[in-house]
Amino acid sequence: MTAPHQDAPGPIKVLLVDDHRVVRAGLTAILNESGRVEVVAEAADGGAALELLRDQDRRESLDVVLMDLQMAPGLDGVSAIKAMREAGVDLPVLVLTTYETDADIVAAMSAGAQGYLLKDATDAELIGAVERVAQGRRALSPQVADRLVDRLSDPLPQLSPRELEILEALAKGKTNREIAQEAFVSEATVKTHLVHIYSKLGVDSRTSAVAVALEKRLIRSR
């Protein structure tokens, strides 16, 4: 974990990343009206956010990145967080999304997010979460915290981030070859992952694996 970015007095400076203009406008109004947080830059997808962050002066003027997960057609949130970390950008990232599946939570936190908040959060919860990640602390919606506790207490072996990715691909109807190409692995590796997934979920087919994953909210419904 890096040192907190919010050391100087004044509002916390935020880069807001969301593909819906109306959502950005609403979030900007909520945060700016608090007097404790100020949206100083916006981006419509992860790629645009990365372009902004390449400017050192702009990057150093920010305290927190508030990031949506699913952004179309541009770069999604998890990919953007990974790219930030690979480029050495250590700004704390607070994910703000509608999704609370294990696949989304694990992917975001594994990529390097410091917080994960759902979009049904109250104004006070949102502002408090921004403040916590700016101070170098974790910030999780209660539902998300519950999901993480459930993962720890579930008697079934836990699925790895890669296995969750493959489950999501199965739910989209993708073939082993398509999954292998997207993940840059061999088809044999995908088949090995499937064997492990089936064993962990106690199933013996792709259809059953997807059904159990949806029932347990490991992946999103399609």
Side-chain angles (χ1 to χ4, degrees):
M1 188 71 182
T2 57
H5 284 257
Q6 179 63 15
D7 298 321
I12 296 166
K13 309 296 185 181
V14 168
L15 164 60
L16 175 57
V17 188
D18 194 291
D19 60 337
H20 292 100
R21 182 186 60 79
V22 173
V23 171
R24 294 199 306 273
L27 289 171
T28 297
I30 291 169
L31 294 171
N32 288 354
E33 287 172 7
S34 73
R36 294 145 57 188
V37 180
E38 181 183 0
V39 175
V40 296
E42 297 182 15
D45 62 59
L50 291 172
E51 283 295 325
L52 286 171
L53 293 171
R54 288 193 179 98
D55 183 315
Q56 184 174 351
D57 290 338
R58 173 64 63 86
R59 188 169 65 247
E60 291 179 350
S61 72
L62 294 166
D63 300 306
V64 172
V65 178
L66 185 58
M67 180 85 72
D68 190 15
L69 276 190
Q70 190 71 17
M71 292 177 282
L75 192 68
D76 66 85
V78 169
S79 298
I81 297 168
K82 288 179 180 177
M84 285 175 57
R85 299 309 180 224
E86 289 169 359
V89 178
D90 63 353
L91 282 168
V93 177
L94 172 61
V95 168
L96 183 64
T97 181
T98 58
Y99 302 111
E100 55 176 308
T101 67
D102 283 23
D104 291 305
I105 297 167
V106 170
M109 301 306 284
S110 297
Q114 275 72 44
Y116 197 108
L117 201 65
L118 300 180
K119 284 185 176 178
D120 62 359
T122 66
D123 295 359
E125 288 170 338
L126 172 59
I127 294 161
V130 171
E131 290 177 327
R132 283 194 296 279
V133 297
Q135 295 162 2
R137 299 159 57 197
R138 295 286 186 189
L140 301 172
S141 284
Q143 303 98 310
V144 173
D146 288 344
R147 293 295 302 166
L148 294 176
V149 170
D150 286 345
R151 279 181 61 83
L152 294 174
S153 60
D154 195 320
L156 287 174
Q158 295 302 322
L159 296 172
S160 68
R162 174 67 82 188
E163 289 165 349
L164 288 169
E165 287 177 17
I166 290 175
L167 263 177
E168 288 220 304
L170 292 183
K172 295 176 182 176
K174 295 188 176 180
T175 66
N176 287 0
R177 176 174 293 183
E178 290 171 331
I179 295 170
Q181 290 173 342
E182 290 185 0
F184 300 104
V185 298
S186 68
E187 287 187 60
T189 298
V190 172
K191 290 177 181 177
T192 299
H193 281 306
L194 289 175
V195 169
H196 293 160
I197 290 169
Y198 293 171
S199 175
K200 289 179 178 181
L201 296 181
V203 299
D204 58 6
S205 71
R206 298 163 71 98
T207 302
S208 297
V210 171
V212 171
L214 290 172
E215 179 186 352
K216 289 181 168 291
R217 290 196 301 170
L218 302 179
I219 60 176
R220 301 177 199 166
S221 58
R222 300 298 170 186

